[in-house]
Amino acid sequence: MSTPEPVEPPDAAEALPAVAPQLRELRRRARLTLEAAARTAGLSPAHLSRLETGQRQPSLPMLLALARVYGTTVSELLGETVADHDSVIRAADMEPTRAGGWTYWQAGARSRSMQALRVHVPHGAQGDIVRVHPGEEWLHVLKGRLKLRLGDTTHLLAPGDGAHFDSLTPHRIAAADQDGADLLFVHTLLQSPATAVCLGGPTPGEPA
């Protein structure tokens, strides 16, 4: 069953590198048609086409979805490269990237099956996006309070709290306070072009 496309905040394109050529090249490398890749990522072919031509910029959830579909990493989608032996990540080398209103820093090696990020979640950004996809996610709140919805249950996480869950559980992440929330975030990257990822908005009438 197809799901509604997530609505991008108007500032999703700010400070995000041009990813259009990478998206097209990685799709062709995975030997996927535009229609097949879009269907697997939970997007319409028209929307994916606009991403590949640079008419639209993807949000972070879209980047995560497409990375899983193409069996790669968000860093490669962004055109970033790093030597495989670089296991130590220095603070000075962590360049911030904005996507979908979130700001994130690569906190782990880019060529691993687990992707580690340090993330700032502003209040009101992407709080209505429901995520469902194969894999696992782990997060740890550093600052502020985080509202995490897993299935039908909403959890309020304070600094020092964490969560580890199966990503097939429908989940939402939102900052509970006006100043936003900072967290460490780790997700598994399934290296399979056939991996199904579903990103959508909330069920009509359902609270965030």
Side-chain angles (χ1 to χ4, degrees):
M1 180 180 296
S2 62
T3 58
E5 293 180 25
V7 177
E8 291 185 75
D11 63 349
E14 293 181 9
L16 187 66
V19 298
Q22 284 290 106
L23 291 178
R24 187 182 302 109
E25 174 60 28
L26 289 170
R27 176 175 61 79
R28 291 174 176 171
R29 188 190 306 175
R31 298 183 179 180
L32 291 172
T33 64
L34 187 72
E35 291 74 15
R39 181 173 61 252
T40 307
L43 303 171
S44 70
H47 191 90
L48 181 56
S49 177
R50 287 193 291 270
L51 294 177
E52 290 190 356
T53 56
Q55 298 176 44
R56 296 290 297 275
Q57 290 284 7
S59 64
L60 179 55
M62 287 181 186
L63 289 174
L64 291 173
L66 292 169
R68 291 188 179 97
V69 170
Y70 300 150
T72 186
T73 66
V74 170
S75 297
E76 186 172 5
L77 287 181
L78 295 175
E80 301 173 356
T81 58
V82 67
D84 289 340
H85 62 271
D86 284 348
S87 299
V88 176
I89 298 86
R90 303 294 182 184
D93 297 329
M94 295 183 187
E95 294 292 335
T97 300
R98 297 193 65 201
W102 291 9
T103 303
Y104 70 95
W105 296 259
Q106 192 79 29
R110 295 178 171 88
S111 56
R112 303 296 183 183
S113 59
M114 293 190 303
Q115 292 291 291
L117 302 170
R118 180 164 59 89
V119 183
H120 175 71
V121 181
H123 186 264
Q126 302 185 31
D128 61 346
I129 296 177
V130 178
R131 301 173 175 87
V132 182
H133 52 84
E136 296 181 35
E137 294 186 22
W138 173 89
L139 60 85
H140 177 84
V141 181
L142 299 172
K143 182 180 179 182
R145 296 185 304 164
L146 194 74
K147 185 166 64 174
L148 171 67
R149 181 158 184 165
L150 296 174
D152 296 327
T153 305
T154 299
H155 306 269
L156 187 62
L157 305 182
D161 292 341
H164 189 173
F165 53 92
D166 188 324
S167 302
L168 284 174
T169 302
H171 52 284
R172 296 180 186 171
I173 297 174
D177 301 322
Q178 291 292 330
D179 292 337
D182 295 331
L183 61 142
L184 293 176
F185 174 78
V186 176
H187 68 94
T188 55
L189 177 66
L190 302 183
Q191 302 286 347
S192 170
T195 298
V197 180
C198 175
L199 299 176
T203 302
E206 182 183 8

